[in-house]
Amino acid sequence: MTWHVLGAGSLGSVWAARLHRAGVPINLILRDPQRLASYRQVGAITLVEHDHATRYAIPADSVDSDTPIQRLLLACKAYDAANAIKHVAHRLQPGAEVILLQNGLGSQDEVAALLPQCRCVFASSTEGAFREGGWRVVFAGQGHTWLGDPADETPPGWLADLQQSGIAHTWSTDIVSRLWRKLALNCAINPLTVLHGCRNGELETHRGEVDDLCAELIELLTACGQPSAAADLREDVWRVIQATATNYSSMYQDVAAKRRTEISYLLGYACNAGSKAGLRLPRLQVIHHRLQAHLGSCGLPHH
């Protein structure tokens, strides 16, 4: 069965190239005729792995095509997910499977609400990739992807395609807990790297701030019924900071490149969840407001 990929950015392109290389039928869906023309002019995605570049001539069409879709990888940003799915909803067949590869929380439920006739599989990935120009993507970090369906714990048959493609993965029966844990890690690290203009490792000099955020995030996760996501969170945050000490966080990179961030699905989601749970989370709220003001001063959306 053909995989369709909507969101041919960094991670979407890395998945598409590996699936195509393994002989899995795949088709890119590009957002408009101009983007499709740009791709056809180049004719392929170039994937750079360990300084070695390979071209993959993956078939593509635009969202306006009427080809039916039975399996879709939605790999766009969290703030684009619901709008993107509306453009292809008419092509999704009854019982179609949609894999949601978004950061943070909130967008998954937005998409699932629009697709009652589909199976929505949530994904959380630690893989790293970045674009080096139009259709050239660098696979920067071999990571791991957890996938799961809160509505149905049965593993899907297409996991064999991921195995064949060398995409390291685990089917998870607690995917929501994994997404909460990743959201908490992002909330403890990314905003501070933007506000202090630093690499991850330099947060060592702001240890008190990091620890204070961890304490409130543990309180939030516990109140939201996610005790396993809260367990040893502070230790894990510092482990990630040390392991990625020389890296700039994804949010830092977005702001530096004048790209919209996923603040609403990270800090924004956390603060809203805290309010609904009746919690006072003053440090998270202050960081959220400071980050919103900073993004506004950079001319970037802050919602």
Side-chain angles (χ1 to χ4, degrees):
M1 187 183 293
T2 299
W3 285 68
H4 289 80
V5 177
L6 179 55
S10 49
L11 215 46
S13 295
V14 168
W15 273 56
R18 286 182 292 176
L19 287 161
H20 179 77
R21 178 168 66 195
V24 176
I26 190 145
N27 196 85
L28 302 175
I29 303 175
L30 303 176
R31 63 174 174 258
D32 54 43
Q34 293 78 13
R35 187 104 171 114
L36 181 59
S38 158
Y39 177 71
R40 286 186 171 156
Q41 195 173 4
V42 175
I45 283 175
T46 297
L47 182 64
V48 181
E49 298 171 281
H50 311 297
D51 297 324
H52 180 71
T54 311
R55 282 167 54 87
Y56 297 99
I58 302 167
D61 60 30
S62 79
V63 289
D64 305 326
S65 164
D66 54 7
T67 314
I69 299 171
Q70 193 66 45
R71 183 170 302 140
L72 177 70
L73 174 67
L74 185 66
C76 56
K77 294 285 192 180
Y79 49 74
D80 281 334
N83 194 45
I85 210 72
K86 288 175 187 172
H87 285 99
V88 295
H90 65 287
R91 297 169 57 181
L92 291 165
Q93 301 302 289
E97 297 164 302
V98 182
I99 299 100
L100 305 175
L101 195 57
Q102 277 70 50
N103 262 335
L105 277 165
S107 66
Q108 298 88 350
D109 291 334
E110 290 170 5
V111 171
L114 294 168
L115 304 175
Q117 81 285 14
C118 297
R119 182 183 193 186
C120 288
V121 172
F122 299 1
S124 176
S125 184
T126 61
E127 291 194 316
F130 60 91
R131 283 162 71 170
E132 222 182 33
W135 300 101
R136 185 181 174 93
V137 177
V138 178
F139 188 16
Q142 180 85 45
H144 200 90
T145 301
W146 286 266
L147 304 118
D149 177 356
D152 181 358
E153 293 184 357
T154 315
W158 48 258
L159 293 178
D161 288 349
L162 303 188
Q163 188 75 34
Q164 188 180 324
S165 307
I167 297 172
H169 66 282
T170 301
W171 181 255
S172 172
T173 54
D174 63 347
I175 190 63
V176 174
S177 177
R178 288 207 167 269
L179 286 164
W180 268 107
R181 176 67 159 214
K182 191 177 179 201
L183 175 128
L185 288 166
N186 281 332
C187 286
I189 297 170
N190 293 14
L192 290 177
T193 65
V194 173
L195 292 171
H196 293 298
C198 68
R199 295 176 193 266
N200 293 355
E202 293 168 64
L203 290 178
E204 281 282 0
T205 59
H206 305 283
R207 186 170 275 274
E209 270 187 295
V210 175
D211 287 348
D212 287 347
L213 285 178
C214 288
E216 287 195 353
L217 287 162
I218 289 167
E219 188 183 344
L220 172 66
L221 292 169
T222 305
C224 291
Q226 300 296 333
S228 61
D232 302 319
L233 177 68
R234 179 180 166 279
E235 290 77 8
D236 206 16
V237 164
W238 283 110
R239 182 191 61 75
V240 170
I241 287 170
Q242 282 146 18
T244 61
T246 60
N247 296 1
Y248 287 106
S249 75
S250 55
M251 186 178 278
Y252 178 102
Q253 291 177 55
D254 282 341
V255 175
K258 298 291 184 188
R259 289 190 299 258
R260 183 177 177 181
T261 71
E262 293 173 301
I263 181 176
S264 300
Y265 297 90
L266 295 167
L267 263 180
Y269 188 91
C271 289
N272 287 339
S275 296
K276 286 178 187 169
L279 299 177
R280 280 191 70 257
L281 302 171
R283 293 178 180 89
L284 272 170
Q285 294 282 2
V286 164
I287 293 294
H288 187 216
H289 293 319
R290 283 176 60 196
L291 185 58
Q292 285 181 311
H294 180 78
L295 294 175
S297 72
C298 296
L300 292 169
H302 52 274
H303 294 294

